[in-house]
Amino acid sequence: MAEKIKVGVVSLGCPKNQCDAEMMLAKIEKAGYKIVPEAGLADVVVINTCGFIQSAKEEAIEEIIEAINRKNDGINKKIIVTGCLAQRYQQQMDEEFPEVDGVLGLGKNQDIIETIERVLKHERVIDFGNIEDHKLDGDRMQSTLPHYAYLRIADGCDNCCTYCAIPKIRGRFRSRTMENIVAEAEGLIESGVKELILVAQDTTRYGEDLYGKIMLPELLNKLCELDVKWIRLLYCYPERVTDELIDTIAKQDKICKYMDLPLQHCNADILKDMNRTGDRESLTALINKLRTKIPGITLRTTFITGFPGETEEQFTELAEFAHEVKFERLGCFAYSQEDETPAADFPNQVADAEKEHRAEIIMEQQDVRVGDYCNDKIGTETEAVVEGYDRYSEMFFGRDASYAPEIDGMMYFTSEKKLGLGDFVKVKITDNLDNNLLGEVIG
């Protein structure tokens, strides 16, 4: 019967969640079910949800409601909800969506086949298991473009930022063994992956729980021994960006000169209330050190505006900091008051309209800085990977090492020769159109 049943998997949220989805996809394929690319084509739809902030929760709920509507129309026969929203709101998922046939917590992802079989027999499955049973490794069906893949090195978080529910959702910080990670990387490379993107809630903490000390530099050096083109780091916490890590990035050609450094704020009092460390002076010193020791590094960060108690003066300090530092990549989000987090009960909550307004100011300023950054790139040459062809503009598009996939956008370029997906080419930047770099393949 399995081969006659069509299963679709919708994965929302971050790359860590996508790794979970890819592991479930591998199990589904191995069990003989037919995997379809669109939920509307599936007999059984698995919705792998995100539950991090309000906007992510709303997106997940909309996807669930759409699946329920398709079920009522006779399209989706069965609905299974997995992921962070399911893990976080266990009782509500059970009670508020009776049309959903299965709800699995993160610790029960490995039971996806058994769950599919049970719901097809018209059983309703609600099973959350234990978060410590959440598997971080196993066979995966890659859902990204063939030439890059996310490599999860750890999961969970011990940082306990006061605005964040991740420790409640995904549990304590847990590293994978170095041997396990390297073996998975080798398998990905054998399948054609040329870019490994290291992810965790905090990549810079890697190994502390297993080996008694931070082992990220050693892991990076081992991965650089493999036949891979690019290695990229996401989610680096500033207090754990050590001189050893900086030196490793600087000396290893395969490591992209790119760092995702989620700072969230620069004001010392706000950072303290967030249960984070540092201040404007220390963060500026770190950024200056990174740019001095790793010339040409691309720095990405995220900010939160409207954290409880944030005054106009503290917001102004954040805006001035962003203006002075001139991050190449920046995202800014209005504070989301999350259930069961300490900050949700803090006094002096900032009005939603004001939080949003402050975020808009930061992003408007960033748009100007990105324009200057793009203009400075005109006339330079770079190596880019081809990720597709835009028929409307009649141009190829892709990324160089300063762009993370699915986050930082694309550059567009012409070529006199035929290019294939995943090809690496030399591009000369010729123009900036609405903060999109344009170029031409040379050589």
Side-chain angles (χ1 to χ4, degrees):
M1 182 177 68
E3 60 270 26
K4 298 179 181 179
I5 300 296
K6 297 180 294 240
V7 180
V9 176
V10 177
S11 191
L12 307 173
C14 70
K16 284 88 71 182
N17 218 33
Q18 190 169 349
C19 290
D20 287 336
E22 291 180 348
M23 290 171 64
M24 286 190 283
L25 278 165
K27 289 180 178 296
I28 293 166
E29 181 186 47
K30 187 176 181 180
Y33 292 98
K34 181 179 181 181
I35 295 174
V36 293
E38 296 179 21
L41 302 174
D43 300 310
V44 179
V45 60
V46 179
I47 304 173
N48 193 40
T49 59
C50 177
F52 179 44
I53 58 175
Q54 185 61 33
S55 59
K57 289 185 284 188
E58 291 172 356
E59 181 185 20
I61 290 169
E62 287 175 6
E63 192 71 42
I64 293 168
I65 291 172
E66 284 184 19
I68 290 171
N69 290 337
R70 288 193 299 266
K71 182 179 181 181
N72 292 337
D73 291 337
I75 299 172
N76 294 152
K77 296 180 177 64
K78 301 295 178 183
I79 304 168
I80 300 171
V81 178
T82 63
C84 290
L85 189 74
Q87 180 72 32
R88 186 174 181 185
Y89 297 105
Q90 299 179 8
Q91 183 175 348
Q92 294 94 322
M93 292 298 302
D94 182 13
E95 295 175 353
E96 295 181 17
F97 297 104
E99 302 91 342
V100 169
D101 302 280
V103 183
L104 294 182
L106 293 169
K108 290 304 234 178
N109 282 350
Q110 64 267 28
D111 293 345
I112 187 64
I113 300 306
E114 178 187 345
T115 303
I116 291 173
E117 291 171 351
R118 289 176 63 186
V119 300
L120 287 171
K121 295 175 182 175
H122 309 296
E123 293 182 47
R124 191 162 192 253
V125 180
I126 309 292
D127 196 351
F128 295 95
N130 193 316
I131 190 61
E132 279 73 27
D133 294 330
H134 178 212
K135 285 183 65 64
L136 306 185
D137 59 357
D139 292 338
R140 292 165 54 184
M141 176 186 281
Q142 193 178 332
S143 59
T144 56
L145 292 175
H147 56 274
Y148 74 87
Y150 296 106
L151 182 61
R152 176 166 51 189
I153 64 174
D155 203 60
C157 191
D158 290 345
N159 292 326
C160 297
C161 300
T162 58
Y163 54 81
C164 181
I166 289 297
K168 290 183 177 293
I169 299 171
R170 288 190 170 258
R172 298 293 302 272
F173 184 83
R174 290 165 293 137
S175 300
R176 296 171 60 187
T177 66
M178 196 172 300
E179 294 78 11
N180 186 266
I181 294 168
V182 172
E184 181 175 358
E186 289 173 336
L188 290 168
I189 293 166
E190 287 176 8
S191 72
V193 168
K194 301 174 183 178
E195 178 181 5
L196 296 171
I197 305 169
L198 274 57
V199 294
Q201 263 67 38
D202 177 358
T203 56
T204 39
R205 198 168 200 146
Y206 171 72
E208 188 177 56
D209 55 322
L210 282 182
Y211 304 107
K213 64 176 183 176
I214 290 172
M215 297 287 283
L216 182 60
E218 185 171 335
L219 174 63
L220 287 169
N221 285 325
K222 284 188 176 297
L223 292 173
C224 285
E225 295 173 4
L226 306 180
D227 185 19
V228 65
K229 179 75 172 178
W230 287 345
I231 299 170
R232 186 181 304 277
L233 274 175
L234 299 185
Y235 315 121
C236 300
Y237 273 62
E239 60 265 38
R240 282 185 279 277
V241 176
T242 62
D243 287 343
E244 183 184 9
L245 176 59
I246 294 171
D247 292 342
T248 301
I249 296 170
K251 75 179 181 182
Q252 291 285 11
D253 291 338
K254 292 181 179 181
I255 302 177
C256 295
K257 309 315 177 204
Y258 177 107
M259 184 176 285
D260 176 41
L261 202 65
L263 302 182
Q264 312 307 358
H265 216 283
C266 71
N267 177 267
D269 291 334
I270 293 292
L271 287 168
K272 183 178 179 181
D273 288 343
M274 289 178 168
N275 195 34
R276 297 174 69 94
T277 61
D279 54 25
R280 183 174 179 178
E281 183 179 1
S282 65
L283 294 175
T284 300
L286 172 61
I287 291 161
N288 289 340
K289 179 190 287 187
L290 285 165
R291 286 177 168 161
T292 298
K293 291 194 170 184
I294 312 174
I297 189 172
T298 297
L299 295 177
R300 176 176 180 82
T301 196
T302 50
F303 291 148
I304 295 173
T305 55
F307 187 79
E310 183 189 57
T311 65
E312 192 68 44
E313 291 75 18
Q314 289 168 330
F315 167 69
T316 299
E317 182 181 359
L318 179 65
E320 289 174 349
F321 173 71
H323 177 73
E324 290 173 4
V325 170
K326 294 181 170 54
F327 292 95
E328 288 81 11
R329 312 274 187 249
L330 187 152
C332 189
F333 306 92
Y335 165 71
S336 179
Q337 191 174 2
E338 292 301 308
D339 301 332
E340 299 182 352
T341 61
D345 297 323
F346 283 2
N348 303 315
Q349 298 283 332
V350 179
D352 288 346
E354 180 62 23
K355 292 187 290 190
E356 295 287 353
H357 177 61
R358 293 178 183 181
E360 288 170 1
I361 290 173
I362 296 287
M363 291 311 298
E364 286 171 0
Q365 293 177 347
Q366 179 65 13
D367 195 52
V368 174
R369 286 192 291 274
V370 171
D372 294 338
Y373 167 80
C374 289
N375 288 335
D376 289 343
K377 291 292 183 181
I378 295 174
T380 64
E381 297 176 2
T382 188
E383 186 177 32
V385 60
V386 179
E387 297 205 320
Y389 183 78
D390 182 63
R391 296 184 183 278
Y392 178 76
S393 64
E394 297 183 333
M395 301 181 81
F396 293 92
F397 57 84
R399 303 174 290 113
D400 69 6
S402 70
Y403 290 75
E406 305 177 49
I407 302 174
D408 295 328
M410 295 283 178
M411 59 175 58
Y412 296 81
F413 41 87
T414 58
S415 175
E416 293 182 357
K417 59 183 179 181
K418 186 177 179 180
L419 303 177
L421 188 68
D423 287 349
F424 281 80
V425 293
K426 193 170 186 180
V427 175
K428 182 175 182 179
I429 306 301
T430 58
D431 205 354
N432 168 26
L433 179 63
D434 297 329
N435 292 348
N436 291 300
L437 290 176
L438 306 182
E440 58 187 13
V441 173
I442 58 176

XYZ file of all heavy atoms in Angstrom, residues 12-95:
642
model
N 8.899 24.428 7.883
C 8.926 25.860 8.142
C 10.068 26.181 9.106
O 10.528 25.337 9.855
C 7.595 26.306 8.749
C 6.337 25.911 7.965
C 5.083 26.254 8.770
C 6.300 26.592 6.603
N 10.507 27.435 9.087
C 11.466 27.873 10.088
C 12.912 27.714 9.674
O 13.268 27.801 8.503
N 13.750 27.423 10.653
C 15.200 27.526 10.515
C 15.824 26.282 9.885
O 15.176 25.248 9.737
C 15.812 27.773 11.888
S 15.704 26.328 12.980
N 17.125 26.379 9.529
C 17.823 25.217 8.969
C 17.882 24.016 9.904
O 17.955 22.880 9.441
C 19.222 25.761 8.673
C 19.020 27.221 8.453
C 17.936 27.605 9.404
N 17.880 24.252 11.240
C 17.868 23.105 12.154
C 16.594 22.305 11.984
O 16.590 21.073 11.986
C 18.001 23.583 13.606
C 19.395 23.998 14.015
C 19.690 25.443 13.721
C 18.919 26.371 14.633
N 19.167 27.802 14.329
N 15.478 23.015 11.828
C 14.197 22.355 11.580
C 14.217 21.625 10.239
O 13.639 20.544 10.088
C 13.067 23.388 11.608
C 11.811 22.873 12.260
O 11.868 22.077 13.189
N 10.668 23.318 11.787
N 14.890 22.231 9.264
C 14.992 21.612 7.942
C 15.776 20.302 8.013
O 15.439 19.334 7.329
C 15.670 22.581 6.963
C 15.611 22.142 5.510
C 16.041 23.254 4.570
O 16.188 24.407 4.963
N 16.237 22.920 3.317
N 16.792 20.259 8.866
C 17.537 19.002 9.055
C 16.612 17.910 9.594
O 16.682 16.754 9.166
C 18.713 19.222 9.998
S 20.052 20.227 9.311
N 15.745 18.279 10.549
C 14.764 17.311 11.060
C 13.864 16.809 9.932
O 13.585 15.608 9.831
C 13.899 17.959 12.144
C 14.643 18.172 13.447
O 15.624 17.462 13.696
O 14.233 19.049 14.225
N 13.392 17.738 9.104
C 12.504 17.366 7.995
C 13.206 16.434 7.019
O 12.612 15.458 6.526
C 12.005 18.618 7.283
N 14.474 16.695 6.726
C 15.213 15.862 5.781
C 15.404 14.440 6.316
O 15.388 13.480 5.542
C 16.563 16.508 5.468
C 16.430 17.787 4.651
C 17.751 18.444 4.324
O 18.785 18.047 4.904
O 17.765 19.360 3.489
N 15.570 14.310 7.630
C 15.682 12.978 8.217
C 14.355 12.230 8.127
O 14.328 11.025 7.847
C 16.158 13.086 9.660
C 17.616 13.523 9.784
S 18.115 13.917 11.483
C 17.924 12.313 12.253
N 13.240 12.934 8.334
C 11.925 12.294 8.188
C 11.675 11.922 6.727
O 11.140 10.843 6.444
C 10.825 13.221 8.721
C 10.792 13.306 10.241
S 9.330 14.159 10.897
C 9.770 15.865 10.571
N 12.068 12.779 5.799
C 11.902 12.480 4.375
C 12.648 11.204 3.990
O 12.139 10.382 3.214
C 12.407 13.661 3.530
C 11.449 14.827 3.349
C 12.193 16.048 2.813
C 10.308 14.448 2.402
N 13.854 11.028 4.525
C 14.628 9.816 4.210
C 13.897 8.576 4.690
O 13.859 7.554 3.992
C 16.016 9.912 4.845
N 13.307 8.646 5.877
C 12.552 7.500 6.397
C 11.320 7.223 5.536
O 10.975 6.066 5.259
C 12.137 7.766 7.841
C 13.287 7.728 8.846
C 12.789 8.005 10.246
C 13.921 7.919 11.261
N 14.505 6.562 11.361
N 10.645 8.290 5.120
C 9.432 8.143 4.312
C 9.758 7.498 2.964
O 9.063 6.591 2.498
C 8.752 9.522 4.122
C 8.212 10.019 5.478
C 7.618 9.446 3.100
C 7.821 11.487 5.473
N 10.851 7.953 2.356
C 11.255 7.374 1.071
C 11.643 5.909 1.236
O 11.255 5.051 0.435
C 12.425 8.169 0.493
C 12.873 7.629 -0.867
C 14.119 8.316 -1.376
O 15.090 8.464 -0.603
O 14.133 8.698 -2.562
N 12.409 5.616 2.279
C 12.859 4.245 2.505
C 11.685 3.296 2.739
O 11.733 2.117 2.357
C 13.810 4.209 3.705
C 14.464 2.852 3.930
C 15.477 2.911 5.071
C 16.141 1.551 5.271
N 17.128 1.600 6.389
N 10.611 3.818 3.347
C 9.429 2.996 3.622
C 8.597 2.730 2.360
O 7.651 1.945 2.402
C 8.564 3.659 4.683
N 8.934 3.376 1.249
C 8.257 3.095 -0.009
C 7.134 4.026 -0.372
O 6.460 3.817 -1.390
N 6.921 5.066 0.409
C 5.878 6.033 0.057
C 6.371 6.930 -1.072
O 7.571 7.164 -1.231
C 5.504 6.882 1.276
C 4.811 6.102 2.366
C 5.523 5.621 3.456
C 3.450 5.837 2.296
C 4.900 4.886 4.457
C 2.818 5.107 3.289
C 3.547 4.630 4.364
O 2.912 3.906 5.338
N 5.437 7.468 -1.821
C 5.782 8.390 -2.897
C 5.802 9.801 -2.338
O 4.783 10.303 -1.843
C 4.773 8.301 -4.044
C 5.104 9.240 -5.206
C 4.099 9.109 -6.353
C 4.464 10.041 -7.497
N 3.484 9.950 -8.614
N 6.948 10.450 -2.427
C 7.077 11.812 -1.913
C 6.703 12.796 -3.017
O 7.213 12.714 -4.138
C 8.505 12.076 -1.411
C 8.791 11.171 -0.203
C 8.694 13.536 -1.023
C 10.215 11.226 0.289
N 5.810 13.723 -2.689
C 5.363 14.726 -3.658
C 5.813 16.108 -3.179
O 5.916 16.357 -1.980
C 3.838 14.687 -3.849
C 3.416 13.388 -4.518
C 3.092 14.854 -2.534
N 6.077 17.028 -4.134
C 6.670 18.314 -3.756
C 5.689 19.336 -3.195
O 6.108 20.329 -2.601
C 7.270 18.813 -5.077
C 6.413 18.192 -6.136
C 6.017 16.850 -5.600
N 4.397 19.124 -3.396
C 3.418 20.105 -2.941
C 2.398 19.443 -2.017
O 1.927 18.333 -2.288
C 2.710 20.742 -4.133
C 3.640 21.550 -5.043
C 2.884 22.138 -6.225
O 1.646 22.261 -6.135
O 3.541 22.469 -7.222
N 2.045 20.170 -0.963
C 1.093 19.633 0.013
C -0.250 19.318 -0.627
O -0.933 18.371 -0.232
C 0.913 20.624 1.162
N -0.629 20.114 -1.621
C -1.913 19.912 -2.275
C -1.993 18.653 -3.108
O -3.080 18.281 -3.557
N -0.863 17.982 -3.313
C -0.833 16.736 -4.082
C -0.789 15.507 -3.184
O -0.821 14.379 -3.668
C 0.392 16.720 -5.007
C 0.517 17.863 -6.016
C 1.852 17.771 -6.755
C -0.639 17.836 -7.013
N -0.722 15.725 -1.867
C -0.437 14.625 -0.946
C -1.697 14.008 -0.356
O -2.672 14.686 -0.077
C 0.461 15.132 0.175
N -1.637 12.688 -0.159
C -2.654 12.006 0.645
C -2.397 12.277 2.132
O -3.325 12.496 2.911
C -2.611 10.496 0.400
C -2.878 10.144 -1.057
O -3.874 10.640 -1.601
O -2.078 9.386 -1.633
N -1.117 12.235 2.498
C -0.708 12.527 3.876
C 0.242 13.717 3.832
O 1.259 13.676 3.133
C 0.002 11.326 4.527
C 0.443 11.669 5.955
C -0.886 10.093 4.508
N -0.091 14.775 4.546
C 0.799 15.929 4.604
C 1.392 16.022 6.004
O 0.686 15.943 7.013
C 0.075 17.235 4.213
C -1.109 17.541 5.123
C 1.057 18.409 4.234
N 2.723 16.145 6.050
C 3.450 16.323 7.308
C 3.886 17.778 7.369
O 4.628 18.252 6.490
C 4.676 15.395 7.383
C 5.435 15.611 8.695
C 4.264 13.936 7.232
N 3.439 18.493 8.389
C 3.775 19.911 8.534
C 4.772 20.039 9.682
O 4.421 19.852 10.845
C 2.520 20.765 8.797
C 1.492 20.549 7.684
C 2.891 22.247 8.906
C 0.148 21.214 7.954
N 6.015 20.324 9.328
C 7.091 20.458 10.313
C 7.182 21.929 10.709
O 7.698 22.754 9.966
C 8.411 19.958 9.708
C 9.487 19.784 10.741
O 9.236 19.314 11.848
N 10.713 20.163 10.403
N 6.663 22.265 11.871
C 6.395 23.650 12.232
C 7.546 24.321 12.962
O 8.402 23.685 13.575
C 5.156 23.734 13.137
O 5.409 22.951 14.316
C 3.928 23.201 12.427
N 7.523 25.658 12.936
C 8.389 26.504 13.751
C 7.514 27.174 14.802
O 6.369 27.525 14.529
C 9.073 27.557 12.876
S 10.109 28.724 13.797
N 8.040 27.349 16.001
C 7.261 27.998 17.055
C 8.071 29.009 17.819
O 7.833 29.262 19.002
N 9.054 29.646 17.150
C 10.036 30.488 17.823
C 9.444 31.831 18.246
O 9.523 32.229 19.405
C 11.241 30.677 16.903
C 12.319 31.540 17.475
C 12.736 31.389 18.789
C 12.941 32.500 16.698
C 13.744 32.189 19.322
C 13.941 33.300 17.214
C 14.345 33.146 18.524
N 8.862 32.563 17.304
C 8.273 33.867 17.598
C 6.869 33.925 17.007
O 6.453 33.024 16.268
C 9.133 35.030 17.053
C 9.338 34.913 15.532
C 10.480 35.087 17.774
C 10.086 36.090 14.920
N 6.149 34.999 17.309
C 4.738 35.085 16.939
C 4.517 34.925 15.444
O 3.619 34.199 15.014
C 4.156 36.415 17.422
C 2.657 36.559 17.208
C 1.857 35.509 17.947
O 2.250 35.081 19.034
N 0.745 35.089 17.380
N 5.322 35.579 14.621
C 5.121 35.503 13.173
C 5.317 34.073 12.672
O 4.604 33.615 11.767
C 6.075 36.454 12.441
O 7.425 36.145 12.744
N 6.263 33.343 13.256
C 6.495 31.945 12.862
C 5.325 31.072 13.280
O 4.911 30.169 12.532
C 7.792 31.438 13.483
N 4.792 31.323 14.465
C 3.630 30.561 14.929
C 2.432 30.805 14.014
O 1.701 29.870 13.662
C 3.300 30.939 16.375
C 4.315 30.436 17.389
C 3.892 30.719 18.809
C 4.099 32.162 19.181
N 3.871 32.433 20.611
N 2.241 32.054 13.638
C 1.120 32.386 12.757
C 1.257 31.703 11.405
O 0.274 31.193 10.848
C 1.032 33.907 12.584
C 0.592 34.634 13.860
C 0.687 36.142 13.738
O 1.179 36.615 12.684
O 0.302 36.850 14.694
N 2.476 31.661 10.867
C 2.713 30.981 9.588
C 2.384 29.497 9.702
O 1.749 28.911 8.810
C 4.164 31.168 9.152
C 4.482 30.510 7.806
C 5.947 30.595 7.435
O 6.795 30.807 8.334
O 6.265 30.438 6.241
N 2.818 28.883 10.816
C 2.552 27.456 11.013
C 1.059 27.177 11.138
O 0.542 26.209 10.548
C 3.286 26.969 12.263
N 0.363 28.005 11.880
C -1.082 27.813 12.060
C -1.816 27.992 10.735
O -2.744 27.223 10.424
C -1.613 28.781 13.136
C -1.081 28.349 14.518
C -3.136 28.812 13.147
C -1.310 29.357 15.604
N -1.399 28.956 9.936
C -2.009 29.142 8.610
C -1.822 27.901 7.751
O -2.741 27.488 7.029
C -1.398 30.369 7.924
C -1.844 31.706 8.513
C -1.115 32.878 7.889
O -0.350 32.645 6.919
O -1.307 34.017 8.363
N -0.631 27.294 7.817
C -0.358 26.090 7.020
C -1.238 24.933 7.492
O -1.758 24.156 6.681
C 1.122 25.728 7.142
C 1.589 24.678 6.154
C 1.663 25.200 4.720
O 2.129 26.330 4.520
O 1.238 24.444 3.817
N -1.415 24.816 8.799
C -2.276 23.759 9.348
C -3.717 23.968 8.904
O -4.401 23.014 8.478
C -2.177 23.727 10.883
C -0.766 23.286 11.315
C -3.220 22.780 11.477
C -0.482 23.500 12.794
N -4.191 25.194 8.964
C -5.572 25.491 8.563
C -5.779 25.218 7.077
O -6.816 24.677 6.667
C -5.933 26.945 8.932
C -6.009 27.084 10.462
C -7.259 27.359 8.298
C -6.166 28.511 10.947
N -4.783 25.557 6.261
C -4.888 25.264 4.823
C -4.994 23.756 4.594
O -5.783 23.302 3.752
C -3.670 25.821 4.083
C -3.691 27.332 3.889
C -2.505 27.812 3.074
O -1.881 26.979 2.378
O -2.194 29.007 3.139
N -4.216 22.985 5.332
C -4.280 21.527 5.190
C -5.638 20.994 5.641
O -6.200 20.080 5.011
C -3.159 20.877 6.005
N -6.187 21.569 6.706
C -7.521 21.164 7.176
C -8.565 21.472 6.111
O -9.468 20.654 5.838
C -7.853 21.868 8.507
C -6.966 21.306 9.632
C -9.327 21.700 8.864
C -7.056 22.079 10.930
N -8.445 22.623 5.474
C -9.397 22.977 4.404
C -9.289 22.008 3.229
O -10.315 21.608 2.650
C -9.136 24.413 3.933
C -9.520 25.448 4.973
O -10.350 25.194 5.851
N -8.930 26.633 4.896
N -8.054 21.619 2.887
C -7.886 20.645 1.803
C -8.461 19.293 2.213
O -9.052 18.580 1.392
C -6.402 20.503 1.437
C -5.815 21.705 0.706
C -4.453 21.379 0.101
N -3.483 21.016 1.122
C -2.634 21.866 1.694
N -2.654 23.145 1.341
N -1.768 21.451 2.597
N -8.289 18.938 3.479
C -8.844 17.683 3.979
C -10.362 17.703 3.877
O -10.987 16.708 3.458
C -8.414 17.464 5.430
C -8.891 16.149 6.040
C -8.390 16.001 7.475
C -8.846 14.685 8.073
N -8.395 14.516 9.473
N -10.957 18.815 4.231
C -12.420 18.941 4.139
C -12.899 18.863 2.693
O -14.030 18.446 2.425
C -12.882 20.241 4.785
C -12.690 20.241 6.299
O -12.626 19.174 6.916
N -12.588 21.414 6.899
N -12.013 19.271 1.771
C -12.348 19.191 0.342
C -11.988 17.837 -0.266
O -12.138 17.640 -1.481
C -11.611 20.297 -0.430
C -12.141 21.692 -0.096
O -13.299 21.784 0.349
O -11.392 22.669 -0.282
N -11.477 16.931 0.550
C -11.165 15.586 0.080
C -9.807 15.428 -0.558
O -9.528 14.409 -1.196
N -8.920 16.433 -0.401
C -7.588 16.357 -1.022
C -6.612 15.676 -0.065
O -6.164 14.558 -0.302
C -7.097 17.763 -1.428
C -8.067 18.383 -2.449
C -5.681 17.684 -2.011
C -7.770 19.825 -2.770
N -6.243 16.369 1.017
C -5.393 15.728 2.030
C -6.256 14.803 2.878
O -7.210 15.231 3.518
C -4.744 16.782 2.938
C -3.744 17.681 2.229
O -3.555 18.814 2.631
N -3.115 17.205 1.165
N -5.912 13.538 2.872
C -6.687 12.580 3.671
C -6.269 12.592 5.137
O -7.084 12.404 6.037
C -6.537 11.178 3.087
C -7.118 11.021 1.682
C -6.923 9.603 1.171
C -7.563 9.400 -0.202
N -6.923 10.245 -1.240
N -4.955 12.805 5.368
C -4.439 12.777 6.734
C -3.445 13.921 6.930
O -2.714 14.301 6.008
C -3.749 11.442 7.037
C -4.663 10.215 6.888
C -5.798 10.221 7.911
C -6.716 9.024 7.714
N -7.866 9.047 8.666
N -3.402 14.456 8.164
C -2.509 15.569 8.505
C -1.714 15.182 9.751
O -2.281 14.765 10.764
C -3.296 16.859 8.800
C -4.202 17.236 7.623
C -2.350 18.014 9.142
C -5.211 18.318 7.965
N -0.387 15.341 9.663
C 0.497 15.104 10.813
C 1.290 16.386 11.062
O 1.882 16.942 10.135
C 1.447 13.925 10.556
C 0.655 12.639 10.309
C 2.421 13.735 11.729
C 1.505 11.469 9.824
N 1.301 16.848 12.292
C 2.035 18.060 12.651
C 3.222 17.678 13.527
O 3.076 16.943 14.518
C 1.134 19.073 13.383
C 1.933 20.303 13.798
C -0.036 19.480 12.491
N 4.403 18.159 13.159
C 5.629 17.903 13.910
C 6.323 19.238 14.165
O 5.831 20.298 13.811
C 6.564 16.969 13.116
O 6.956 17.638 11.896
C 5.883 15.665 12.753
N 7.489 19.189 14.778
C 8.311 20.382 14.907
C 8.086 21.180 16.181
O 7.446 20.734 17.137
N 8.608 22.403 16.171
C 8.689 23.207 17.396
C 7.329 23.657 17.911
O 7.123 23.721 19.128
C 9.585 24.413 17.149
S 11.339 23.982 16.967
N 6.405 24.012 17.016
C 5.083 24.433 17.492
C 4.380 23.274 18.186
O 3.758 23.449 19.242
C 4.226 24.948 16.333
C 2.910 25.624 16.746
C 3.179 27.002 17.328
C 1.954 25.729 15.557
N 4.485 22.088 17.606
C 3.885 20.903 18.222
C 4.524 20.623 19.581
O 3.832 20.323 20.560
C 4.054 19.698 17.306
N 5.853 20.737 19.642
C 6.564 20.481 20.892
C 6.191 21.497 21.966
O 6.007 21.165 23.132
C 8.071 20.539 20.635
C 8.934 20.294 21.862
C 8.919 18.854 22.314
O 8.790 17.959 21.493
N 9.038 18.635 23.605
N 6.039 22.753 21.553
C 5.825 23.841 22.520
C 4.401 23.885 23.044
O 4.177 24.173 24.216
C 6.194 25.171 21.862
C 6.140 26.353 22.806
C 6.648 27.608 22.134
N 6.618 28.731 23.055
C 6.905 29.967 22.725
N 7.272 30.251 21.474
N 6.861 30.948 23.620
N 3.435 23.624 22.170
C 2.025 23.758 22.557
C 1.319 22.405 22.448
O 0.428 22.213 21.617
C 1.335 24.810 21.681
C 1.918 26.189 21.863
C 2.752 26.747 20.899
C 1.643 26.933 23.010
C 3.291 28.016 21.072
C 2.181 28.195 23.193
C 3.005 28.732 22.215
O 3.548 29.984 22.389
N 1.741 21.489 23.269
C 1.272 20.115 23.158
C -0.231 20.001 23.406
O -0.966 19.435 22.584
C 2.052 19.242 24.136
C 3.551 19.231 23.857
C 4.340 18.391 24.840
O 3.773 17.685 25.669
N 5.658 18.441 24.747
N -0.698 20.523 24.497
C -2.115 20.392 24.832
C -2.987 21.154 23.843
O -4.023 20.662 23.392
C -2.385 20.896 26.250
C -3.835 20.710 26.697
C -4.035 21.110 28.149
O -3.087 21.316 28.890
N -5.290 21.246 28.555
N -2.536 22.362 23.474
C -3.328 23.171 22.539
C -3.438 22.501 21.177
O -4.503 22.550 20.545
C -2.694 24.564 22.382
C -2.733 25.407 23.647
C -1.459 25.287 24.466
O -0.879 24.194 24.558
N -1.019 26.382 25.056
N -2.345 21.884 20.700
C -2.392 21.209 19.405
C -3.415 20.081 19.427
O -4.139 19.852 18.448
C -1.012 20.650 19.041
C 0.044 21.689 18.740
S -0.361 22.732 17.327
C -0.543 21.518 16.067
N -3.480 19.381 20.534
C -4.423 18.276 20.687
C -5.860 18.786 20.705
O -6.746 18.242 20.022
C -4.098 17.514 21.971
C -4.999 16.307 22.191
O -5.710 15.907 21.253
O -4.986 15.758 23.305
N -6.092 19.853 21.447
C -7.460 20.311 21.694
C -8.003 21.223 20.590
O -9.191 21.154 20.261
C -7.522 21.043 23.042
C -7.230 20.135 24.240
C -7.185 20.903 25.542
O -7.252 22.154 25.501
O -7.070 20.261 26.609
